[in-house]
Amino acid sequence: MRGPRAAPGLLSRIFRLLFTGPLGDEACGDLEQEYSKRRAARGRVLATLWYAGHLFAPGTWALVFKLRRRARSRGMGSVSSSASSVGRPRIEASGRPLWLDVSWLDVKLGIRMMVKYPGLTLVGGFGMAVAIAISGGSFDVFNDVVRTPPPPLDDVVAMRNWNAVTGRPVTTSLRDFATWRDALESVEDVGASRWIERNFITDDGRAEPVLIADITPSAFRLMRVAPLLGRPLVEGDAHEEALPVVVIGYDVWRTRFASDPAVVGRNVRLGSTVHTVVGVMPDGFAFPLSHHFWTPLRADLSDYERGREPQVEVFGRLGPGVTLDRAQHELTTIGMRQAAAFPETHEHLRPRISSYADRWTGNDDGNAAPVGLAYLLFTTLLLVPCANVAILVYARTATRQGELAVRNALGASRRRIVAQLFMESLVLATAAAAVALVLARLAVEQMHGLMADMDGIPPFWIDVALSSSTVLYVVGLTVLAAVVAGVLPAVQATGRRVASGLRQLGADTRMQLGRTWTVLIVAQVAASVAILPAAVSVAWASVRSVIAQPGFAAEEFLTARLVMDWETPSSGEADAYWRDFYARFRELHAEVMRRLEAEPAVSGVTYAWGLPGQESPAFVEVEGMPPAGGSTPGREVRRGWVDVDYFDVFDVPILAGRRFDSRDLDTGATATIVSRTFVRQILGDNNALGRRVRVVPAGDAEPGPWYGIVGVVDDLRSNAAIYQETEGRLYHPMAPGQAHPVKLALRVGSTPATFAGRFREITIALDPTLRLQELLPLDELYRTHPMQMTARFGAWTLALATLSVLFLSTAGIYALTSVTVTQRRREIGIRVVLGAHPHRILGSIFSRAVVQLVLGVAVGILGAVPLATYMRPGALEFGIAPDTHVVLPAVAALMIAAGLVAAIGPARRGLRIQPAEVLKEGWL
């Protein structure tokens, strides 16, 4: 054996410190001899790497058995026992116990256990993956709310007014911006913006509606980002006599101008006004939110009366060394002076300053605490499947008591065995975390898409990709899952029964569970029966609602919202401006309808204030009927304003009376049409024709005029996930241009998207100030509606989580019952030898299992009924009624069936025990 100097000194010292005595010297000497050979052949670096890998990588089993064999054959080391550790031989070296670190072989053993127990791997891994994905994805989205924004947004602030009475934000006027800009000393480059939408038309005739930031030039100084081409907006561009100019974003320059370096100086049309491109901003610049067009904000306060100024968003940057509290104190002082000077408009207004990122993520109104609570909630959510996996691991460990006893007898400490079982669970949790990261990535994309659809446009600084902190959070969840699923059952499984080691090996090394298993089975069944019915009902109802199809051929319709550009008029010209505006819109709306009807591809054109499923809520009172009573002013319905041909285009049959016609558009006409559900719910299926109804406001305002019912139509349903489909409809006739904006619906056959380009051409050719928003096929509009997308995302998430809980609960009950019966194998074998009839043996096995399962079901029902009662009012509010009377028996039957099936296999194996086997195993 070569001396220690033949090997790397530090590694050799560490090894000898861990394994002092003859065993350590011999094991280290063997490695050092091989090291010296490799160093001579391959060099010192490669030999050192090999030495380090083989010094710490060997697994527990290989090294323990190797040392044990050498100790027995050569008399090296000692095996001692004492009264406190009978049958537990321990290799000792100079009084120090053997202790080995977790090695790569432990990982390999963990992988082998995953393969050996595929049921546990699939069910347990699926449950942990779903829980980790939900927790990690939610963490990433919530973290966007509190995450510090990147430079140069770190010192940028937003300012707006809040109503001290209601505690809600109030839109900021242009006059407030001017006051704050002139008075604030702690905030630099105070600027403002307002958002307008216009048609963007290039020289090639292509047109599309775009969102424009009408912004002060100070914004470009604020962000400290130089243009890629040309120049930013300057103060001179904001003068009324200056030529209209625009700065475009990098994506617009790349997609619409093919990255043309000569784009500066070109003319483009925004609505009816021609603008000159003066600059292109670099990639990633999208201030104030996610904008790609910037025009100078032009507004003269002298044109507006106080309280009627345009509304703007105000921003700025904190001065050097200025804190947010100091700036807030100064702004509060300015606000108090405004409230004293102008009580009629500012008496209850209190200006507030906040981080710019907090303004758009909602964190400025006190969302930080709920976000922290959400972290705790979603972390706790992980414990539910992990607890179920722990039961499965515990059941598996119960079948490995013989193996654990042998390992303990060979010198492995309890700590070492627990470490190995923890590593097996960690391997499973790591595999689940890998799947969870993929699921979380997809979920985060969906959640950010929902945020964008609900809020208009997402902030440009929020990254859809999973952040590094989210990955670290998932790693922490993985370790937590491994601890709960591996360490806790391992500590319980490696108690005194394993410590007795080889003393029990000849008899029975399995855990005697007794009451512990009974309590676990009853608790698992009770929890499943109590929680799963409500979860399954809501999940199924949610999925059913999002996959429900409209009650008409929505795939044949192309829809859009027709909007005309408008400006905020000066105070003296407001009445004349809006009178001319609506007159012009009536003419254009009627002309658009005529041109669309003349198109060969269009078989029908109609319009409405809201399309099917988008009617407004209202309360109505029926003449001759008593009031609704309660807290509501009347009976709730949905109210819509529609074209006279609306029902013909949508093929809605008339059930009684007549349809609308041109007479109903005359001034003073009060004709209305109601739906079948309205007649059933409000009128009790009585005759509706000739009855009069009126709309009752929720406040103290006077009720509206009486309307006479002239017809009843069939229900025109859209989708229950968007709006309630259980309410009746009340329809009023509407003339072209009577409302702005207005929804158009074109029936164009099976491929409506192909007509979208032609639809836009018709409106642009008629007037460039006409814009088509939400130009989509009607079925796609329903599918991409924010409420629909939210419902779909929530439904599938809930369904996935419920499915994982169902699998884990069933598998847990199966494992618990199976192990319980397995523990009676000795009893069954003895009874077989003594001549007991198989039916009596099976009866005793199943009677005990049935008692445990039925007891769990009974306890679960006691919790399921109150839970379902509590959930029903909220569920009915969204049109979802959990069918507890159907799902509860099904879940209870599933739990009992799983437990009984689990008892069949072990019972049949027990009945096949031969008397010779009983005598051989020493049971008698």
Side-chain angles (χ1 to χ4, degrees), residues 767-807:
D767 193 312
T769 63
L770 287 178
R771 287 179 283 112
L772 296 179
Q773 299 175 335
E774 300 176 2
L775 181 57
L776 293 169
L778 186 53
D779 58 341
E780 184 177 349
L781 179 67
Y782 289 147
R783 191 168 54 252
T784 57
H785 191 281
M787 293 183 63
Q788 174 80 350
M789 294 177 65
T790 303
R792 186 189 305 114
F793 179 77
W796 289 114
T797 301
L798 181 61
L800 197 62
T802 302
L803 189 63
S804 66
V805 172
L806 182 62
F807 281 167

Side-chain angles (χ1 to χ4, degrees), residues 32-312:
E32 289 169 353
Q33 290 180 17
E34 183 65 24
Y35 166 79
S36 62
K37 297 177 182 179
R38 290 179 175 268
R39 179 177 178 181
R42 301 186 179 182
R44 181 175 181 179
V45 175
L46 293 178
T48 302
L49 292 176
W50 175 89
Y51 182 84
H54 282 72
L55 191 61
F56 295 101
T60 305
W61 283 90
L63 191 54
V64 166
F65 281 121
K66 180 179 179 180
L67 297 177
R68 188 63 182 173
R69 285 196 302 269
R70 290 181 178 177
R72 288 178 175 177
S73 63
R74 302 183 184 182
M76 301 173 65
S78 62
V79 178
S80 65
S81 61
S82 63
S84 61
S85 58
V86 177
R88 183 177 183 179
R90 180 176 298 276
I91 299 174
E92 294 182 355
S94 304
R96 298 179 65 89
L98 174 65
W99 186 83
L100 296 173
D101 261 332
V102 173
S103 64
W104 282 111
L105 184 58
D106 294 317
V107 179
K108 295 179 182 179
L109 290 175
I111 297 175
R112 291 173 186 170
M113 288 299 168
M114 290 177 59
V115 176
K116 185 177 180 180
Y117 298 93
L120 172 62
T121 300
L122 294 177
V123 176
F126 175 71
M128 286 195 291
V130 172
I132 293 175
I134 294 175
S135 300
S138 302
F139 176 89
D140 189 81
V141 173
F142 290 143
N143 200 31
D144 287 336
V145 177
V146 297
R147 184 181 302 160
T148 302
L153 281 177
D154 46 359
D155 290 332
V156 178
V157 294
M159 292 165 281
R160 56 176 172 166
N161 282 314
W162 287 69
N163 190 306
V165 177
T166 63
R168 300 183 63 84
V170 180
T171 53
T172 306
S173 70
L174 186 65
R175 194 177 302 276
D176 287 332
F177 154 66
T179 301
W180 298 344
R181 178 192 58 191
D182 298 337
L184 276 172
E185 297 180 356
S186 57
V187 181
E188 302 175 343
D189 295 326
V190 178
S193 69
R194 61 178 178 178
W195 305 348
I196 58 177
E197 191 170 0
R198 295 288 184 267
N199 283 323
F200 173 48
I201 309 172
T202 51
D203 295 338
D204 56 5
R206 293 176 55 192
E208 62 177 323
V210 295
L211 191 63
I212 303 169
D214 224 4
I215 200 166
T216 56
S218 61
F220 296 90
R221 299 192 302 271
L222 177 83
M223 294 303 293
R224 302 170 183 171
V225 177
L228 181 66
L229 297 175
R231 64 171 177 84
L233 298 178
V234 296
E235 299 298 337
D237 296 327
H239 297 163
E240 289 293 335
E241 64 276 6
L243 295 176
V245 296
V246 61
V247 176
I248 61 175
Y250 179 86
D251 290 340
V252 177
W253 175 62
R254 179 175 52 84
T255 57
R256 293 299 298 269
F257 296 98
S259 302
D260 183 7
V263 68
V264 176
R266 290 184 58 175
N267 291 332
V268 296
R269 174 176 289 184
L270 296 175
S272 58
T273 306
V274 176
H275 290 68
T276 301
V277 177
V278 296
V280 177
M281 298 305 295
D283 189 17
F285 183 88
F287 189 82
L289 204 58
S290 281
H291 294 79
H292 301 284
F293 291 86
W294 299 270
T295 56
L297 176 62
R298 298 175 177 177
D300 189 351
L301 286 176
S302 61
D303 294 337
Y304 305 97
E305 296 177 0
R306 178 170 293 277
R308 304 186 66 177
E309 307 91 348
Q311 307 302 310
V312 295

